[in-house]
């Protein structure tokens, strides 16, 4: 007999993207921002007082809530701080799902959702995207307690219009969680929907747009009643004192943030064009990565040959996406290394 609950015994845990130890690699596999965080972040960390570490942190992270509320045009009680966006996803599964309350989401998407569903032991309804990654109409009809739409979607990088998500929110009886971990790189977001609907939660992350994947900080935007309900399942001190100070400094420095985003978007355009010249096809990305498939050659071959050259991109041996590579947008220098290696592999 196992010590573990049946569903935990049977399930496979989440496999994070490979994190190589060496520094001399071109790492384009986990969608980190290639540029450093705002200098204000390092200043805020340097100014941490021993007293802030001796005492427990503010359980609500109010300094961050106020700054994030202002930027998103809501009140601070519409914001909840999280230990990375993943923390909010876990809270959502705990709060809304069980054996009788299924989760639904379009696939392919973020591979953590089924893992959290297995931990929670709830039924999963996966509804396939079409080839253009349009929102599947069936999603509204599956009667899920929690519907998740990753927007922009990972790994496709594609985005669904806010109007379509508004229709979905109005049609379903359960909660609609819009995972906007990558929205900083898109032309629009869905903040307005939380004002229109009681059942909408928006997830944001500071890992990508704010270059703070190592800090672990994200947040939820929702109506205060929804936030109050989620707080019941939150760890008491889910964000630490250093993280609150650093994340607050990052989100307040909008000028640096916007410049950083523009650089990534510009490079995304160049990378997309160059990859297309090499025979790759990919949908337009609203994110900081592209989802590329070569017209004639197999993704696995590229992946293996890139690893031999210390270049890491993301590859999944999963039916339906086994011929795709998800490539994070790097600096122009990193992307040039990748592009030359691809040319070499292609004998061009
Ligand atoms: C789609 C999506 N949602 C949420 C997250 C969570 O991000 P974090 O926990 O780093 O804030 C990620 C991280 O890669 C992601 O890809």
């Amino acid at each position: 007999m196992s010590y573990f609950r049946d569903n935990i015994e049977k399930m496979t845990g989440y496999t994070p993207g490979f994190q190589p130890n060496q520094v001399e690699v071109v790492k384009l596999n986990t969608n980190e921002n290639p540029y450093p965080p705002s200098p204000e972040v390092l200043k805020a960390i340097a100014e941490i007082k021993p007293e802030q570490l001796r005492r427990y942190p503010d359980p609500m992270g109010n300094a961050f809530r106020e700054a994030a509320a202002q930027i998103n045009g809501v009140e601070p009680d519409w914001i909840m701080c999280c230990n990375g966006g993943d923390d909010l996803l876990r809270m959502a599964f705990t709060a809304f799902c069980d054996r009788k309350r299924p989760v639904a989401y379009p696939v392919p998407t973020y591979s953590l959702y089924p893992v959290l569903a297995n931990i929670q032991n709830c039924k999963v309804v996966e509804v396939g995207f079409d080839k253009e990654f349009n929102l599947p109409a069936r999603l509204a009809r599956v009667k899920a307690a929690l519907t998740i739409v990753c927007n922009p979607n990972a790994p496709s990088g594609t985005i669904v219009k806010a109007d379509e998500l508004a229709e979905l929110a109005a049609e379903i009886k359960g909660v609609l969680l819009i995972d906007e971990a990558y929205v900083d790189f898109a032309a629009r977001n869905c903040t307005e929907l939380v004002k229109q609907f009681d059942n909408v939660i928006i997830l944001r992350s500071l890992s990508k747009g704010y270059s703070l994947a190592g800090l672990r900080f994200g947040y939820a935007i929702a109506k205060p009643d929804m936030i109050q309900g989620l707080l019941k399942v939150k760890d008491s001190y889910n964000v630490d004192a250093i993280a609150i100070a650093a994340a607050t400094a990052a989100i307040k420095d909008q000028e640096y943030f916007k410049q950083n985003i523009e650089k990534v978007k510009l490079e995304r355009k160049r990378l997309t064009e160059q990859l297309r010249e090499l025979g790759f096809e990919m949908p337009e990305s609203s994110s900081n990565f592209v989802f590329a498939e070569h017209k004639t050659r197999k993704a696995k071959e590229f992946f293996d040959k890139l690893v031999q050259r210390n270049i890491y991109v993301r590859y999944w041996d999963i039916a339906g996406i086994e011929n795709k590579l998800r490539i994070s947008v790097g600096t122009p220098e990193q992307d040039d290394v990748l592009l030359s290696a691809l040319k070499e592999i292609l004998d061009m």
Side-chain angles (χ1 to χ4, degrees):
M1 204 194 96
S2 163
Y3 290 119
F4 293 91
R5 287 159 50 211
D6 288 349
N7 54 310
I8 305 294
E9 181 64 31
K10 280 190 215 133
M11 67 177 273
T12 312
Y14 180 67
T15 314
F18 178 59
Q19 304 292 352
N21 283 328
Q22 314 110 283
V23 185
E24 308 79 35
V25 298
V26 174
K27 190 174 174 313
L28 304 173
N29 66 336
T30 51
N31 300 339
E32 286 132 340
N33 196 307
Y35 300 107
S38 155
E40 296 300 319
V41 169
L42 295 185
K43 250 196 254 169
I45 294 174
E47 284 166 10
I48 296 282
K49 310 261 179 317
E51 187 63 4
Q52 281 170 274
L53 299 183
R54 188 187 66 76
R55 292 171 60 164
Y56 281 104
D58 172 358
M60 293 299 294
N62 280 311
F64 179 86
R65 286 178 102 191
E66 276 164 31
Q70 209 181 359
I71 282 150
N72 288 289
V74 294
E75 294 299 318
D77 58 354
W78 292 53
I79 304 281
M80 179 181 66
C81 300
C82 310
N83 187 12
D86 287 349
D87 187 27
L88 173 61
L89 290 170
R90 186 181 282 268
M91 282 187 232
F93 276 88
T94 309
F96 307 119
C97 297
D98 63 22
R99 285 195 133 146
K100 294 194 180 133
R101 293 167 168 260
V103 63
Y105 47 82
V107 285
T109 192
Y110 187 26
S111 53
L112 183 67
Y113 305 154
V115 175
L116 294 175
N118 280 333
I119 294 172
Q120 190 61 17
N121 211 7
C122 70
K123 196 175 145 209
V124 180
V125 184
E126 297 190 337
V127 185
F129 276 114
D130 61 16
K131 276 206 156 53
E132 278 79 44
F133 293 93
N134 292 305
L135 195 64
R138 191 164 85 81
L139 202 58
R141 299 195 295 268
V142 294
K143 298 196 169 73
L146 172 65
T147 303
I148 309 179
V149 178
C150 186
N151 203 47
N153 186 46
S156 60
T158 50
I159 193 161
V160 168
K161 290 199 182 78
D163 289 354
E164 289 179 56
L165 291 172
E167 273 175 37
L168 179 63
E171 258 179 90
I172 58 174
K173 296 270 181 297
V175 167
L176 173 62
L177 190 153
I178 307 172
D179 181 342
E180 291 196 337
Y182 295 100
V183 85
D184 296 333
F185 306 99
R188 54 189 183 269
N189 63 41
C190 287
T191 314
E192 285 307 310
L193 297 196
V194 290
K195 297 179 188 163
Q196 292 170 34
F197 296 98
D198 293 343
N199 62 339
V200 170
I201 302 171
I202 289 187
L203 176 154
R204 293 279 173 77
S205 169
L206 270 69
S207 298
K208 327 284 179 183
Y210 290 87
S211 312
L212 288 173
L215 189 77
R216 314 302 305 126
F217 210 97
Y219 64 101
I221 317 176
K223 284 206 169 141
D225 281 352
M226 180 63 86
I227 296 285
Q228 286 302 321
L230 287 169
L231 286 175
K232 294 186 201 167
V233 298
K234 178 178 94 60
D235 282 350
S236 351
Y237 302 106
N238 64 332
V239 286
D240 66 74
I242 300 174
I244 296 168
T248 307
I251 203 164
K252 278 187 171 170
D253 193 353
Q254 285 293 300
E255 199 183 320
Y256 180 92
F257 163 74
K258 285 179 186 154
Q259 279 171 13
N260 187 333
I261 296 293
E262 283 316 307
K263 278 196 281 185
V264 175
K265 281 189 185 172
L266 205 65
E267 180 57 12
R268 175 178 73 200
K269 185 166 178 282
R270 187 186 77 100
L271 179 65
T272 305
E273 286 164 1
Q274 299 273 313
L275 286 169
R276 284 185 177 145
E277 275 181 28
L278 297 184
F280 286 92
E281 293 177 326
M282 71 213 81
E284 259 346 287
S285 170
S286 292
S287 200
N288 68 336
F289 53 84
V290 295
F291 197 44
E293 173 166 354
H294 198 268
K295 284 181 199 155
T296 57
R297 302 273 285 270
K298 295 265 177 281
K300 177 79 167 69
E301 180 198 346
F302 287 113
F303 175 76
D304 290 338
K305 292 186 170 163
L306 289 172
V307 169
Q308 286 164 11
R309 293 163 169 83
N310 277 335
I311 301 169
Y312 293 88
V313 297
R314 194 86 192 252
Y315 166 76
W316 293 270
D317 189 8
I318 295 177
I321 58 169
E322 72 279 17
N323 226 357
K324 314 258 191 201
L325 294 174
R326 193 197 65 190
I327 307 171
S328 309
V329 177
T331 60
E333 296 75 25
Q334 288 175 315
D335 293 345
D336 281 343
V337 175
L338 168 81
L339 292 162
S340 328
L342 290 172
K343 274 187 203 149
E344 227 177 80
I345 296 165
L346 288 161
D347 284 327
M348 286 171 94

